[in-house]
Amino acid sequence: MITNIPFRYDEPMEDQCGDCRLCIDVCPTGAIVEGGQLNATRCISFLTQTKGFLPDEFRGVIGNRLYGCDTCQTVCPKNKRKANQIHAEFEPDPEIAKPLLEPLLKISNKEFKAKFGYVSGSWRGKKPIQRNAILALAHFKEKSAVPALIELLKSDERPVIRGTAAWAIGKIGTESGLEALKQAQLVEQDAEVAEEIQKGLAFYAEELKG
């Protein structure tokens, strides 16, 4: 914005954190480092928006986050008791902000755009949201989702979704899931997906050892 209005200069903002380390200590991935610096590639807010396979080290810590992460904002003392609920129109719809996970696995592009197209989390499309939903189901070890995950493993055209489903099936650990992974191992042509199938099968091997 260009203007000739002679605004007064603001006072420079000084460091208000002092010795507080709450955001550093609670960051799930260690993305916040000393000196007010952020390693964006480790930030869950960034990771949930990527479209590829999520690195193994982050799959367990994103929990049920489908898009973004506000943990650092939640614990910050400067945000306590701030009134930000002024306009009812801006209040989040619970069914949109925290939707049921399993329906997301089968949602079509048309349905996704109709339901989520106007919210910020939809700008990258449905694939990152679906991948994150799969990881969340694995996090909860949701056995009821295994049939839908097996269907994704068998028929989804996207390697990231097939592979993440394979990993999740192994993490949840049902007999039907084990059989599906063995069958998929015989026919899968994509190298990355094949690797995820191996990871899924490894979960069963670890379970037997335990």
Side-chain angles (χ1 to χ4, degrees), residues 5-61:
I5 300 175
F7 289 112
R8 291 183 179 181
Y9 288 105
D10 293 334
E11 291 294 326
M13 180 177 289
E14 298 179 358
D15 176 28
Q16 300 180 40
C17 297
D19 296 329
C20 181
R21 290 178 49 89
L22 286 176
C23 63
I24 297 173
D25 293 338
V26 304
C27 179
T29 59
I32 303 176
V33 296
E34 298 291 346
Q37 299 176 352
L38 175 71
N39 181 348
T41 61
R42 295 186 64 85
C43 179
I44 288 179
S45 184
F46 165 80
L47 291 167
T48 56
Q49 299 177 59
T50 59
K51 288 191 173 184
F53 285 101
L54 203 67
D56 290 359
E57 67 174 304
F58 302 126
R59 295 182 186 184
V61 295

Side-chain angles (χ1 to χ4, degrees), residues 4-181:
N4 60 359
I5 300 175
F7 289 112
R8 291 183 179 181
Y9 288 105
D10 293 334
E11 291 294 326
M13 180 177 289
E14 298 179 358
D15 176 28
Q16 300 180 40
C17 297
D19 296 329
C20 181
R21 290 178 49 89
L22 286 176
C23 63
I24 297 173
D25 293 338
V26 304
C27 179
T29 59
I32 303 176
V33 296
E34 298 291 346
Q37 299 176 352
L38 175 71
N39 181 348
T41 61
R42 295 186 64 85
C43 179
I44 288 179
S45 184
F46 165 80
L47 291 167
T48 56
Q49 299 177 59
T50 59
K51 288 191 173 184
F53 285 101
L54 203 67
D56 290 359
E57 67 174 304
F58 302 126
R59 295 182 186 184
V61 295
I62 72 166
N64 64 344
R65 298 175 180 88
L66 296 180
Y67 180 83
C69 176
D70 292 324
T71 300
C72 57
Q73 299 297 315
T74 302
V75 301
C76 179
K78 296 294 181 180
N79 291 333
K80 298 296 184 184
R81 293 180 291 279
K82 296 294 183 182
N84 57 5
Q85 297 176 325
I86 301 173
H87 300 288
E89 296 84 354
F90 294 128
E91 288 298 300
D93 180 343
E95 293 188 9
I96 301 298
K98 292 186 177 182
L100 295 175
L101 296 174
E102 289 187 46
L104 290 173
L105 303 185
K106 300 179 180 180
I107 194 169
S108 68
N109 288 330
K110 183 178 181 180
E111 291 169 336
F112 181 81
K113 290 179 180 179
K115 188 170 184 178
F116 300 102
Y118 65 94
V119 298
S120 60
S122 69
W123 78 281
R124 293 284 279 167
K126 73 173 184 176
K127 185 166 78 169
I129 301 294
Q130 287 181 312
R131 180 204 61 190
N132 299 339
I134 293 170
L135 294 173
L137 290 165
H139 174 75
F140 290 123
K141 293 187 179 295
E142 189 58 62
K143 292 183 179 181
S144 66
V146 170
L149 292 172
I150 291 174
E151 185 60 31
L152 291 178
L153 174 61
K154 288 181 176 180
S155 60
D156 199 283
E157 297 180 352
R158 299 161 296 175
V160 169
I161 298 300
R162 290 203 310 279
T164 305
W167 184 90
I169 289 168
K171 194 74 172 175
I172 296 170
T174 64
E175 288 298 323
S176 61
L178 175 60
E179 184 61 30
L181 289 175

